Amino acid sequence: VRVAQYARDFLAQADARGTKLIWITVRAQGRTAVNLFDALLAIGESLLRRENFAIVLDGYSRPNDYASNRDYDRRTAEGAIAREQALAHALVGELANRLGASVTDRIFLGIGSDLLDSIHLAAHCRAYFAHHGTLQHKIGYFTTVPGMAHANPGILITDPAGGHRHVIQDPGIVEYI
């Protein structure tokens, strides 16, 4: 499997420390929780207070052929990546303020990564907290990692976990909140 060196290095460091990886998605616009930053901060802080946890902050991924395929809407893609990276950097900064600068060694910023690298990282995680939709599908459809997806009330009444039945045997592997 071709995986970027920075992703391999993070996984190797996590493995060497015996760290459990938790996947957390960052979405900066559209259908986001009104308290998203505070929620992600609380989850991140709770996990990172324990030395045996690390987090992967994931978001918009570039398609595998992004560099060679001129058909992608680069303006939209790069704008989404920039917004999500800004939110993630603010989150990492606040986590470092609260827990000390060394905590950043246990945070992987995957926003803007190649899609295949993102899925590879997802497969190494123990659990996830993700926004409903394509951000969750990367980990929910391509791995057996259990997790929680947050969504708005309009989505929750539609049995969104049922959509996983066509992909995985046990749609209970994801809990919608």
Side-chain angles (χ1 to χ4, degrees):
V1 174
R2 180 204 52 81
V3 177
Q5 186 63 49
Y6 62 89
R8 286 197 314 262
D9 291 346
F10 181 78
L11 290 172
Q13 290 168 1
D15 188 49
R17 289 189 299 248
T19 307
K20 298 173 185 138
L21 299 177
I22 307 298
W23 176 278
I24 300 173
T25 64
V26 175
R27 184 173 181 135
Q29 80 177 53
R31 299 180 303 144
T32 61
V34 294
N35 65 339
L36 183 64
F37 184 85
D38 294 333
L40 297 180
L41 182 60
I43 292 167
E45 184 175 5
S46 177
L47 291 167
L48 294 170
R49 284 196 178 281
R50 298 179 60 191
E51 290 292 323
N52 62 331
F53 282 101
I55 59 176
V56 173
L57 293 177
D58 186 69
Y60 193 103
S61 296
R62 289 180 176 95
N64 190 42
D65 65 345
Y66 187 76
S68 62
N69 186 336
R70 306 204 35 87
D71 292 334
Y72 291 111
D73 181 351
R74 282 171 167 54
R75 185 174 174 191
T76 299
E78 296 305 320
I81 290 166
R83 285 186 297 277
E84 291 175 5
Q85 286 177 337
L87 182 61
H89 285 292
L91 183 63
V92 170
E94 187 56 32
L95 288 166
N97 284 341
R98 293 179 181 206
L99 302 173
S102 66
V103 77
T104 60
D105 293 340
R106 293 186 288 128
I107 302 171
F108 182 85
L109 295 176
I111 299 158
S113 296
D114 179 281
L115 180 59
L116 298 178
D117 292 340
S118 185
I119 293 169
H120 183 79
L121 282 163
H124 287 83
C125 291
R126 297 283 185 96
Y128 67 86
F129 181 77
H131 183 277
H132 166 73
T134 56
L135 296 180
Q136 185 272 336
H137 296 164
K138 286 188 281 185
I139 192 165
Y141 284 8
F142 293 103
T143 76
T144 57
V145 174
M148 293 180 9
H150 60 93
N152 64 50
I155 295 295
L156 294 176
I157 62 171
T158 67
D159 183 29
H164 289 260
R165 288 186 188 97
H166 74 281
V167 179
I168 57 177
Q169 297 265 334
D170 180 12
I173 202 165
V174 59
E175 185 69 33
Y176 274 81
I177 58 170

